[in-house]
Amino acid sequence: MTFADLGLSDQLLRAIDDSGYTEPTPIQRGAIPSVLMGRDLVGIAQTGTGKTAAFVLPMIDVLGHGRSRALMPRSLILEPTRELAAQVSENFEKYGKYHKLSMALLIGGVSMGDQVKALQKGADVLIATPGRLMDLFARGKILLTGCNLLVIDEADRMLDMGFIPDIEEICTKLPTNRQTLLFSATMPAPIKKLADKFLSNPKTIEVARPATANTSIDQRIVRVDARKKKDALVRLLKAEDVKNAIVFSNRKTTVRELAASLKRSGFAAGQIHGDMEQPERIKELERFKAEEINILVASDVVARGLDIKGVSHVFNFDVPWQPDDYIHRIGRTGRAGARGVGITLATSADSGAIASLEKLTGMEIASLDEAPESATDEAEKPSRKGRERKPKAEKSERRERPAREPRPERAEQPKVRREPEPEPTDAAELEDADTTWNGPVPSFLGQGFGG
Ligand code: AMP
């Protein structure tokens, strides 16, 4: 099947051709004709499956007819994070280059004034994070009554981040006879309920998880001593043929410490986590994409869904608390036909978590032991105030409980937002916590693209 078989316009086919795609992915094959026909849709698919184009492409054609009016966007795409919102807008630019559609992006961390200006000019497509959208709505700066197409993307992530009440409220402000598309990697009960309440007779399409279907990722578990994880990571980074790697950790503090430690060990490492301001996050990502640094230490909140080409390795410095995050993490490698390696460091305390992720992926992950006595000379010195524990007899060591695994002091996620208008205590995490970014503003804000 080709893209031409899906009923897309010639301009769109030209833009797709320019992107170099020859064949639609399964989610695109399933979704595009239904969206063009105006049907509601539930897409059980995650990033890496081509799901963004599955809604962006038909939306461009649907919106190709008709005109936008000031403050009344014609369509709305809700994304859980600023990074994902920006990524979707890039997709609109790429595929919409032969159309004359206008787009506005409403994300926290970018000056509100520019976003309002873009809305005043009229937007065919509004891409927003729920917090900022609610904020603008409360200030009377936006009307959703002309919004006939709604996309709720990464719905399970929205749930993790406490956005479901906001989404329900947003849904009530749109016309009831709108078209609604909901995408989610998983369908936990609250998402199912949301779909039942706000979608009308939707077509459901489920595509294989990239991790279960994806044989292009060589997955491994390396069993390590809890006290020597950093050394083990350094050894692996040196032993593996690492072109560039994302190293995931469960805690923001570990992300910071690990990035600093890797730098001290001579690696070109950067970091990205939820406590960083938006311009800093973007800068680090750009440095990674431009190959100024080749190791990016990251937390789950900011890294989910990011589409960075050519990541050769993913390391899980910690086994993720939620098995789903494992799939998202390793899905950052082995993309677009390339091969990738996903290595998870696991201590003896992690066996339960490993069992749940093996259950989720439906496969046993190859596991090997990191030799406790192997070279530590080049690794960072453990700096535990000189109270290095004497290793016990090697044979029994692995069977023992590790020496006090640190308790997670503060999780990156899930974030639960209980109040409709939260105090920005964890400012960078919540979408509309700051309005003071003076950094680069996407050039397409409020302007026609393509044409
Ligand atoms: P997504 O699942 O939307 O995050 O997309 C994952 C990656 O697949 C992105 O880099 C897209 O540019 C790419 N992609 C989307 N559709 C296709 C296609 N039909 N053929 C090849 N690559 C695609």
Side-chain angles (χ1 to χ4, degrees):
M1 184 186 269
T2 66
F3 279 101
D5 300 326
L6 300 176
L8 296 167
S9 67
D10 288 344
Q11 297 109 296
L12 213 41
L13 292 176
R14 229 181 345 139
I16 295 167
D17 209 36
D18 294 348
S19 311
Y21 306 155
T22 48
E23 236 189 285
T25 65
I27 186 78
Q28 292 163 1
R29 283 200 294 272
I32 291 171
S34 297
V35 180
L36 288 175
M37 281 189 295
R39 262 195 90 167
D40 281 5
L41 181 93
V42 172
I44 307 171
Q46 57 187 105
T47 53
T49 55
K51 77 163 161 67
T52 314
F55 61 85
V56 169
L57 290 171
M59 275 180 83
I60 291 172
D61 268 351
V62 168
L63 296 166
H65 315 277
R67 265 167 187 266
S68 59
R69 289 161 60 190
L71 301 179
M72 290 181 72
R74 296 171 62 208
S75 66
L76 170 65
I77 300 174
L78 292 172
E79 292 290 334
T81 65
R82 306 162 191 178
E83 281 82 4
L84 284 168
Q87 213 160 277
V88 170
S89 71
E90 283 165 17
N91 272 255
F92 261 100
E93 277 198 317
K94 183 162 86 171
Y95 305 127
K97 63 187 196 177
Y98 300 118
H99 283 75
K100 279 193 172 130
L101 293 176
S102 58
M103 173 167 56
L105 191 60
L106 277 190
I107 51 176
V110 181
S111 134
M112 184 93 87
D114 289 340
Q115 301 184 0
V116 172
K117 266 189 224 149
L119 279 169
Q120 276 165 348
K121 284 187 192 160
D124 295 301
V125 187
L126 175 63
I127 304 165
T129 48
R132 177 55 71 95
L133 180 66
M134 292 295 285
D135 194 356
L136 241 73
F137 194 86
R139 294 172 196 219
K141 302 278 189 204
I142 187 165
L143 280 171
L144 295 173
T145 44
C147 198
N148 289 311
L149 207 167
L150 169 69
V151 180
I152 304 166
D153 194 19
E154 300 267 333
D156 52 352
R157 193 55 168 181
M158 302 269 202
L159 175 69
D160 286 349
M161 296 175 82
F163 283 141
I164 297 300
D166 282 354
I167 291 181
E168 292 205 0
E169 198 174 336
I170 292 165
C171 281
T172 61
K173 305 199 183 311
L174 270 72
T176 42
N177 60 349
R178 65 171 186 270
Q179 181 179 10
T180 308
L181 319 175
L182 181 144
F183 290 87
S184 194
T186 54
M187 283 302 266
I191 300 299
K192 176 91 184 45
K193 222 169 112 196
L194 185 78
D196 290 346
K197 191 164 166 196
F198 292 107
L199 275 69
S200 144
N201 185 28
K203 175 174 173 178
T204 300
I205 300 163
E206 182 164 7
V207 298
R209 291 171 174 284
T212 45
N214 197 340
T215 49
S216 63
I217 304 171
D218 167 15
Q219 298 175 58
R220 271 176 267 155
I221 289 167
V222 176
R223 299 202 177 271
V224 294
D225 182 324
R227 294 159 300 170
K228 294 180 180 165
K229 272 171 121 180
K230 243 189 248 174
D231 300 351
L233 176 70
V234 167
R235 275 194 296 276
L236 284 163
L237 283 170
K238 290 185 174 170
E240 292 279 321
D241 186 17
V242 175
K243 180 178 156 273
N244 51 9
I246 303 182
V247 179
F248 284 99
S249 171
N250 292 352
R251 290 175 285 266
K252 288 180 267 199
T253 42
T254 316
V255 171
R256 276 193 290 264
E257 284 166 17
L258 200 53
S261 160
L262 289 175
K263 271 195 243 174
R264 283 199 300 275
S265 300
F267 290 98
Q271 57 179 304
I272 184 160
H273 58 77
D275 272 353
M276 290 161 65
E277 294 292 335
Q278 183 71 353
E280 267 186 288
R281 294 191 201 178
I282 291 176
K283 209 167 109 202
E284 284 296 85
L285 270 181
E286 289 307 322
R287 288 202 319 139
F288 188 63
K289 285 183 187 170
E291 297 177 13
E292 282 170 37
I293 51 173
N294 74 333
I295 295 167
L296 187 64
V297 189
S299 63
D300 290 293
V301 160
V302 282
R304 178 142 161 177
L306 290 181
D307 182 28
I308 302 168
K309 297 253 163 0
V311 174
S312 72
H313 286 68
V314 165
F315 290 92
N316 291 320
F317 185 73
D318 302 306
V319 179
W321 290 321
Q322 294 185 26
D324 251 3
D325 281 330
Y326 174 77
I327 289 170
H328 286 286
R329 289 179 181 188
I330 65 160
R332 300 308 104 214
T333 183
R335 292 168 86 79
R339 287 204 61 76
V341 179
I343 297 180
T344 302
L345 301 186
T347 69
S348 53
D350 292 322
S351 20
I354 297 284
S356 10
L357 60 91
E358 286 186 332
K359 191 170 162 217
L360 180 76
T361 55
M363 60 184 271
E364 199 178 319
I365 305 166
S367 159
L368 45 116
D369 290 327
E370 157 85 356
E373 77 280 16
S374 57
T376 50
D377 50 340
E378 39 190 30
E380 229 213 346
K381 255 197 279 163
S383 56
R384 298 282 166 265
K385 295 187 181 141
R387 222 161 54 81
E388 255 277 62
R389 275 176 177 237
K390 254 201 183 156
K392 294 202 175 153
E394 278 170 23
K395 260 191 195 143
S396 61
E397 190 164 45
R398 273 203 313 276
R399 297 189 175 278
E400 270 187 37
R401 302 248 318 254
R404 271 181 280 128
E405 274 256 79
R407 294 282 316 156
E409 75 281 67
R410 205 152 140 242
E412 261 288 81
Q413 56 104 18
K415 277 280 168 276
V416 178
R417 219 172 55 144
R418 291 192 178 82
E419 300 295 327
E421 292 194 1
E423 279 291 308
T425 47
D426 201 352
E429 293 296 339
L430 300 175
E431 294 310 323
D432 48 354
D434 64 275
T435 55
T436 55
W437 185 29
N438 293 318
V441 174
S443 59
F444 49 76
L445 269 178
Q447 288 163 22
F449 55 103

